Structure formats: C-alpha cells, structure tokens
C-alpha cells in the first residue's frame, strides 16, 4: 500500500506536468494499472532483445547471438550478428513507414471520394494548396473545378504507392544536391509500397545478408515515408481541412470539463475526428446534452489526432500518449474515440473501472472490450453524430464521487505550418537565413516523438527544448514532443523569456514562441519542406544547414523511419532511447559515424537531454563553420 506521501513521490517520479502527477496519484489510489505499472512488471527486459541480437524470422529459430563474442555466433541459417541486427532494424523501420504511409493513403482515398461526390460532410477547404500541389504533379488547373483537379491529384498520389512510375513526385521538392546524394548511393525512393514491400522481402530468411545493403534500403524506405506517405498525408489533410494557421488554445488534463459531456479523440488520423468537430455543432445534439443534465459537449484531443484538431480547429489537447489512461482515470470522460496508432490495448480495462465508453472506428484497429462504430467516408458525419449521442447518453452514468479534474489548462499557440512560417517572414526564407547568418538564430532543431515510461514523462522533451532555446537555437516540434512543451508553457510567445537574448529578440519582433508547434507526427514532412526551401535559397544540400533533430522519448516503430529520413536527408539526429542495434559494432559504427561520409549527418544516442543539447549545438557549430558563418 502507498501512503499519501509515497503516492506524491511516485507521481512526481513518473511525470513532469502537475496535472499528470495529480491523476497518476488518483490512478494509484483507485488501483488502476497503467503503462508505468506494466513497465515495472517487465523488468528486467530481455537483454538479447534490447541489443537486437535475437532472430525470430523463420521456424528454425528463435536464434540468438552471444553479444560477448562467444558461442553461438551465428543463427541456424548462418546469419551473423550484423545481418540479424540490421535485418531487425529494417523490419521495425518498415512497420513504422507502413503505418505513416497507410494513414496517408486513407486521406487520399477520402480526397478522391470527396472529389467524386461520394463522401458525407467533407469539402475541399484549401483550394489554393490544391492547385499548387496539382501543378507539381503536372495537372492542369486553369478553368477547371476544384473537384476535377482534386480527382486527378488523388489518382496521381495513389500512383505514388505503386512501382510503375519509378519515382515519388514529392521527393522532387528536395534540393538538387540532396537528391544527387540519394542518386549516388542508390537510395532515391521509387514508390511508397514498393520500398516497404521490398524491405519485407529483404528481411525474409535467405535474402539480404549484407548489413550495409540492408541499411541503405532502410534509408530508402524511410525516405519513401518522409518525402512520400507522410508528406501526402500532410498535404491532403491540408487540402481537405485547411492548412493550419497560428491560433491559441489550451493543453493538459485540465481541459476536461466538470459539467459537460467529455469526448476524447485519440489516435492519428483526422478523417473521422474532423467530422466529430462538425457534429458537436448540431443544435439537436447540443439540446440533447442539456436534456441529459450536462452544460454542453466538450471535445478534447489526445496524441496526434489531438494535434491535427488543435492546429486547425483550436480544439484543446488533453495530453500525449502516456495520458490516454490518465484521461479515463479522471472519471470524467464519457467517450474515448480512437482511430489507430499508439492506442493502448489496455484502455477498455481502464475504462471498465469507470463509466467511459471506448469507441473503435477502424477496420484495421479493433480492440476487444470496445464498442465498434465503423468509419467510412460515405457516412462519416452520420457516424460522428451517433458517437456523440452515445457519449451524451453516457453522461448520467458519471459518478461525481470519482471525478477529479486536475489544475488549470495551459494556454498554447499552435498551427505553424510551413506556409504560415514563410508568410510571416514575408514570403521568403531570406529573413530567417539572415538571422542565422547574423547569429541571432544559431540554428534550428526539430524535436519529435513519443513518451516512454523509462523516462519521466515530458522531461526529455521539455529539458532539451529549454536548453536549446537558451542557446539561441530555434525549436520546431511535432507529435507528443509538441504536446509536452505545450503543457510546460513553451508554446507561448512569453516563453521567449527563457530563450537566449538573440533568439528572444527575434521571437519578440515576430510575436512567436521560441518553440513552434508544427503538427502531428506525419507533419515532420513540414520540417523537411522548410529545410529544403532554405537549402534551395542558399544553393546547398540540407546536410549543409545548421539543423538538428531529436527524439528524446521515442518508443514507436514510426520513430525509426522519422529519424532515418531526417538523417538520410542530412539532419543530424540524437535519440534519447537506444535503438536495438548495440549488439553489432558494425551497424552501430555505420549509423553513428559512417553516414557522415554520405549524407553529412548521423545518429547519436544520448539519454541526458542537457548532454543531447551539447551534441546538437556542437553539430550546428560545425555546420556553421563549414558555411563560413
């Protein structure tokens, strides 16, 4: 049994944010098992697995290699440690690339259905972006309806997933010098599904055994995600729902309401959740909520579905991935609606301890113990209204004795799309380049990724961001990293007071935070586009720019292609959690040193966020010196 002081101490050990700490304490008091308890029960975790030296690819295994150089040194098939470690990495990376890119495919399919008049509730919100992207694909726009253009564009994008074309149109956005590197080393992506399927072929027993060849294909597969599937997801979402513009809203578990019907929208894909945003405006549903005793309907986001809604509609965001069970433990959530990715299979069990209904909506992501209400574009708005009605019906079941809404929400400024950043700079990146050359901004670092129960929730993200801005390095963020900094108050213009004097002056002049929220995890593609445009203005490769990337608390397979397409594009990237490659010195050396000779970038691993800031600053200084600035 925990005493109250033990509970407080345990909560402070698990999370940085005080609203999270309060509900962690409540969950412990309520006897709720969360990811932290399950992580503790898994200790010690398998050392072979952590080093990446076990292979379960065929029925002759599982095999494992002695990491100390003894026997066995080969699997039954004869694969050595380099083959096994690199193959495992490619396998995990391809899963992540498939997840992002399949998300992108679904958004394109809804764009096509919308263009053909087959969807319900959707419309093309950003016609200007539609035309701009269509022109990149060589699609005529003059004198044509937006629906006709959208149909041709959607079909053109769907062709990116196959292998007939042999190249990905959006990868043409990269600067020539970066593309020349990809061509020289044979890693130019040819098609999104093409690279993922080939990766699955290569990891099959008895195919690719050369660790260098395997890792080069890992880079190619990651590039197909970053400059393909993820970029398509971003652009099509902007076309359908609008390109984000800076706006203010709120973050943390304090965004839940004591007297309204709370609906949490969790996952990654905005297709259904955008319809739910429309549905809550239905006067009949508003009236129905009041009839059931509530004062209204309160939508909040969670994880990257939350980021999508925050940056376009200003829907408050309750938290990042480790907050999903905590939100339910407040006792105030009538419905948690999920699409896919980063959904803990545990949440129906958590919900079973309260009155919360968990609604799954995707055919590819069903969870036992939930209520399944299938999403399809043809009936999206009707389904959204049904879900809201279900949540309202559940409101009278709320047990007020078990409700605790923690603290107050933190104000945030979000929605810095690449287009809006460029617009704020006067339509060109020259002012940003001038500021970097003058040293007002030393460099730019993208902090991305998840939460991991091994690290105090949000500590890695927030500490690293504070260290970087203090050193006059501008930070751009997506995903759970952005939510962490939102909870910590770093997504506000006033946070410039925490920045170095030169960066603070720039932020104050533009009225922007020193940490810019650029969206969900597929929106890392916005960072690639921004880097590409700056590199083009200077006539250099992305690898020549004083940029960095970091994933201090990553856990998901999706983080592997993100980190790899950053590095393959030329961005030095520091990971806070070691990837499962330390069993092979050759794989480790190639990723940490060898890539510098290819893309002028590499991976590093540093769990301490202050030391990670040192590494990033050192790399930025190296590239500044090479540019002569």
């Amino acid at each position: 049994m925990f005493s109250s002081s033990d509970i407080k101490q345990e909560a402070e050990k698990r999370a940085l944010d005080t609203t999270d700490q309060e509900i962690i304490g409540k969950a412990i008091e309520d006897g709720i098992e969360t990811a932290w308890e399950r992580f503790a029960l898994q200790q010690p975790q398998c050392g072979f697995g952590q080093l990446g030296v076990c292979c379960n690819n065929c029925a002759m295994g599982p095999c494992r290699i002695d990491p100390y150089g003894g026997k066995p040194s080969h699997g039954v098939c004869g694969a050595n440690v380099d083959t096994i470690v690199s193959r495992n990495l490619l396998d995990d990376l391809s899963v992540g690339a498939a997840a992002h890119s399949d998300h992108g495919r679904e958004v394109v399919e809804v764009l096509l259905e919308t263009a053909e008049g087959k969807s319900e509730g959707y419309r093309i919100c950003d016609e200007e972006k539609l035309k701009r992207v269509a022109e990149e694909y060589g699609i005529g726009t003059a004198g044509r309806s937006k629906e006709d253009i959208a149909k041709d564009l959607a079909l053109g994008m769907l062709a990116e997933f196959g292998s007939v074309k042999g190249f990905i149109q959006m990868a043409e956005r990269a600067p020539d010098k970066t593309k020349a590197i990809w061509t020289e080393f044979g890693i130019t992506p040819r098609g999104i599904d093409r690279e993922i399927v080939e990766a699955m072929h290569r990891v099959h027993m008895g195919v690719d055994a050369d660790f260098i060849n395997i890792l080069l294909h890992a880079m190619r597969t990651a590039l197909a995600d970053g400059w393909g599937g993820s970029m398509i997801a971003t652009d099509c979402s902007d076309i359908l729902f609008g390109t984000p513009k800076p706006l203010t809203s709120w973050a943390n578990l304090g965004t839940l309401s004591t007297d309204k019907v709370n609906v949490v929208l969790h996952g990654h894909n905005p297709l259904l959740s955008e319809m739910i945003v429309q549905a809550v405006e239905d006067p009949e549903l508003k009236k129905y909520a009041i009839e059931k005793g509530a004062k209204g309907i309160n939508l909040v986001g969670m994880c990257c579905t939350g980021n999508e809604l925050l940056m376009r509609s200003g829907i408050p965001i309750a938290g990042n991935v480790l907050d999903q069970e905590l939100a339910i433990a407040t006792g105030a959530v009538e419905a948690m609606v999920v699409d896919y990715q980063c959904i803990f299979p545990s949440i129906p069990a958590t919900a079973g301890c309260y009155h919360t209904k968990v609604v799954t909506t995707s055919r590819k992501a069903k969870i036992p113990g939930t209520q399944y209400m299938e999403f399809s574009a043809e009936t999206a708005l009707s389904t959204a209204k049904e879900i809201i009605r279900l949540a309202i019906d559940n409101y009278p079941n709320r047990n007020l004795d078990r409700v605790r809404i923690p603290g107050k929400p933190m104000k945030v400024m979000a929605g810095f799309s690449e287009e809006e950043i460029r617009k704020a700079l006067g339509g060109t990146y020259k002012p940003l380049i001038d500021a970097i050359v003058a040293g007002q901004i030393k460099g730019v670092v993208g902090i991305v990724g998840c939460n991991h129960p091994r690290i105090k929730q949000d500590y890695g993200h927030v500490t690293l961001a504070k260290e970087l801005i203090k050193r006059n390095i501008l930070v751009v963020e997506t995903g759970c990293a952005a939510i962490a900094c939102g909870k910590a108050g770093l997504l506000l213009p006033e946070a410039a007071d925490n920045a170095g004097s030169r960066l603070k002056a720039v932020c104050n002049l533009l009225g922007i935070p020193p940490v810019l929220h650029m969206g969900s995890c597929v929106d890392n593609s916005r960072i690639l586009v921004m880097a590409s445009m700056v590199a083009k203005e200077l006539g250099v490769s992305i690898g020549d720019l004083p940029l960095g990337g970091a994933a201090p608390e990553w856990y998901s397979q999706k983080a592997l292609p993100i980190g790899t397409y950053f590095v393959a594009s030329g961005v030095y990237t520091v990971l806070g959690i070691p990837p499962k490659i330390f069993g092979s010195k050759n794989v480790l050396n190639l990723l940490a040193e060898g890539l510098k000779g290819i893309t002028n970038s590499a991976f590093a691993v540093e769990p301490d966020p202050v030391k990670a800031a040192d590494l990033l600053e050192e790399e930025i200084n190296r590239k500044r010196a090479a540019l002569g600035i």
Side-chain angles (χ1 to χ4, degrees):
M1 289 288 289
F2 283 103
S3 67
S4 58
S5 63
D6 288 342
I7 290 174
K8 185 172 186 295
Q9 195 174 17
E10 182 64 21
E12 288 174 351
K13 189 171 78 176
R14 292 182 183 182
L16 185 67
D17 176 69
T18 56
T19 65
D20 288 333
Q21 290 173 5
E22 184 172 344
I23 300 305
I24 288 170
K26 180 178 186 293
I28 294 172
E29 290 168 2
D30 289 355
I32 304 301
E33 181 184 272
T34 62
W36 287 281
E37 278 82 17
R38 294 188 295 273
F39 185 71
L41 289 171
Q42 288 290 337
Q43 303 309 309
Q45 289 178 303
C46 173
F48 294 99
Q50 287 181 320
L51 293 172
V53 297
C54 51
C55 178
N56 199 25
N57 282 13
C58 80
M60 291 190 289
C63 300
R64 64 187 190 187
I65 305 298
D66 183 337
Y68 302 108
K71 298 289 183 180
S73 59
H74 294 78
V76 176
C77 71
N80 65 19
V81 72
D82 297 334
T83 300
I84 290 175
V85 169
S86 58
R87 216 164 46 185
N88 287 341
L89 178 63
L90 177 57
D91 198 350
D92 283 349
L93 180 150
S94 301
V95 171
H100 272 155
S101 297
D102 201 37
H103 165 172
R105 186 196 334 260
E106 284 195 7
V107 183
V108 181
E109 288 171 343
V110 172
L111 178 64
L112 179 60
E113 289 179 83
T114 301
E116 293 175 336
K118 296 177 180 175
S119 67
E120 180 192 36
Y122 297 95
R123 62 190 178 87
I124 293 164
C125 287
D126 191 338
E127 192 170 347
E128 182 185 332
K129 183 156 189 173
L130 168 70
K131 289 180 177 177
R132 180 157 39 87
V133 178
E135 285 166 4
E136 286 184 55
Y137 277 76
I139 295 167
T141 59
R144 302 184 68 198
S145 73
K146 58 186 179 183
E147 288 77 17
D148 282 348
I149 299 168
K151 181 176 180 179
D152 285 353
L153 178 60
L155 291 172
M157 286 178 161
L158 287 172
E160 304 274 40
F161 288 84
S163 60
V164 174
K165 279 179 62 184
F167 70 99
I168 293 175
Q169 183 61 47
M170 287 190 172
E172 293 299 308
R173 292 175 175 179
D176 288 342
K177 290 188 176 179
T178 300
K179 288 188 291 184
I181 294 168
W182 297 346
T183 301
E184 182 181 355
F185 289 93
I187 59 173
T188 302
R190 297 161 295 181
I192 300 162
D193 291 353
R194 170 83 171 84
E195 307 306 354
I196 294 169
V197 170
E198 183 171 318
M200 293 294 95
H201 185 185
R202 286 176 183 239
V203 301
H204 187 278
M205 183 268 155
V207 184
D208 205 346
D210 180 330
F211 79 94
I212 296 175
N213 206 38
I214 292 170
L215 294 178
L216 286 173
H217 190 71
M219 295 174 75
R220 192 174 215 173
T221 305
L223 289 169
D225 172 13
W227 294 88
S230 285
M231 203 168 280
I232 284 173
T234 294
D235 279 13
C236 278
S237 294
D238 286 353
I239 290 167
L240 277 171
F241 307 121
T243 300
K245 298 176 180 176
L247 49 73
T248 56
S249 186
W250 303 93
N252 77 28
L253 292 170
T255 56
L256 292 166
S257 172
T258 55
D259 51 16
K260 294 180 181 176
V261 176
N262 286 311
V263 179
V264 179
L265 302 166
H266 176 26
H268 284 74
N269 193 319
L271 288 172
L272 176 61
S273 51
E274 283 284 353
M275 292 302 102
I276 289 178
V277 173
Q278 287 188 38
V280 296
E281 295 303 317
D282 185 322
E284 287 188 15
L285 289 173
K286 287 182 175 180
K287 182 181 171 193
Y288 189 51
I290 290 169
E291 287 171 359
K292 288 288 184 178
K295 291 189 176 175
I297 306 165
N298 182 46
L299 289 185
V300 299
M302 179 74 65
C303 216
C304 278
T305 290
N307 277 318
E308 297 273 356
L309 300 177
L310 168 67
M311 65 184 174
R312 291 197 180 88
S313 304
I315 300 297
I317 192 157
N320 38 16
V321 64
L322 282 178
D323 283 313
Q324 57 190 293
E325 293 167 308
L326 301 184
I328 295 172
T330 62
V333 175
E334 276 59 55
M336 178 173 280
V337 186
V338 303
D339 43 74
Y340 45 55
Q341 298 173 19
C342 302
I343 316 297
F344 287 168
S346 63
I347 56 173
T350 310
C353 299
Y354 302 93
H355 73 301
T356 305
K357 291 188 180 297
V358 179
V359 181
T360 46
T361 58
S362 169
R363 273 178 289 182
K364 63 188 77 167
K366 295 183 179 180
I367 304 174
T370 63
Q371 184 155 349
Y372 180 61
M373 300 177 75
E374 185 166 312
F375 162 77
S376 72
E378 294 86 352
T379 57
L381 187 55
S382 299
T383 304
K385 289 180 180 178
E386 280 182 50
I387 290 172
I388 293 301
R389 184 170 285 274
L390 175 145
I392 294 170
D393 283 336
N394 197 28
Y395 181 76
N397 296 323
R398 186 188 291 189
N399 181 347
L400 296 180
D401 293 336
R402 302 192 72 198
V403 170
R404 191 184 304 169
I405 308 293
K408 292 182 179 177
M410 176 64 74
K411 192 175 182 181
V412 297
M413 179 182 278
F416 288 89
S417 59
E418 183 279 323
E419 289 88 342
E420 286 300 312
I421 292 173
R422 187 156 34 97
K423 191 184 295 180
L425 293 169
T428 167
Y429 281 105
K430 188 173 184 307
L432 175 64
I433 294 167
D434 290 345
I436 292 174
V437 170
Q440 291 171 290
I441 297 175
K442 184 178 284 184
V444 181
V445 169
I447 304 179
V448 306
C450 334
N451 289 143
H452 193 302
R454 188 182 300 172
I455 296 175
K456 183 174 183 174
Q457 184 187 10
D458 300 342
Y459 173 80
H461 297 305
V462 172
T463 306
L464 178 58
K466 283 183 175 178
E467 277 297 318
L468 291 171
I469 64 174
K470 196 164 68 179
R471 304 174 193 208
N472 296 301
I473 296 170
L474 180 69
V475 172
V476 293
E477 292 194 336
T478 63
C480 287
I483 301 168
C485 285
K487 288 189 280 183
L490 293 177
L491 301 187
L492 291 169
E494 303 89 281
D497 289 341
N498 298 308
S501 59
R502 287 167 286 159
L503 176 60
K504 178 181 175 180
V506 173
C507 292
N508 288 341
L509 179 67
L510 296 174
I512 60 171
V515 179
L516 300 181
H517 178 289
M518 290 191 76
S520 66
C521 55
V522 293
D523 293 328
N524 289 313
S525 59
R526 299 187 197 275
I527 300 174
L528 293 180
V529 172
M530 186 168 74
S532 177
M533 289 199 170
V534 172
K536 284 179 177 176
E537 289 207 23
L538 289 171
V540 299
S541 74
I542 293 174
D544 295 322
L545 299 175
L547 303 179
E553 302 180 34
W554 75 279
Y555 85 91
S556 157
Q557 296 107 313
K558 292 180 297 176
L560 292 170
I562 293 171
T564 305
Y565 66 65
F566 265 33
V567 171
S569 299
V571 181
Y572 175 78
T573 298
V574 182
L575 305 176
I577 299 287
K580 298 167 186 170
I581 61 170
F582 279 68
S584 166
K585 287 183 183 174
N586 285 329
V587 170
L588 189 61
N589 289 339
L590 178 62
L591 296 179
E593 291 296 332
L595 291 179
K596 289 179 182 172
I598 299 176
T599 64
N600 197 23
S601 62
F603 280 105
V605 177
E606 178 48 69
D608 182 334
V610 176
K611 291 179 181 174
D614 292 342
L615 291 174
L616 288 159
E617 185 179 25
E618 185 181 330
E619 179 70 3
I620 284 169
N621 285 337
R622 181 178 78 85
K623 293 195 173 175
R624 288 182 64 90
L627 287 169
I629 59 176

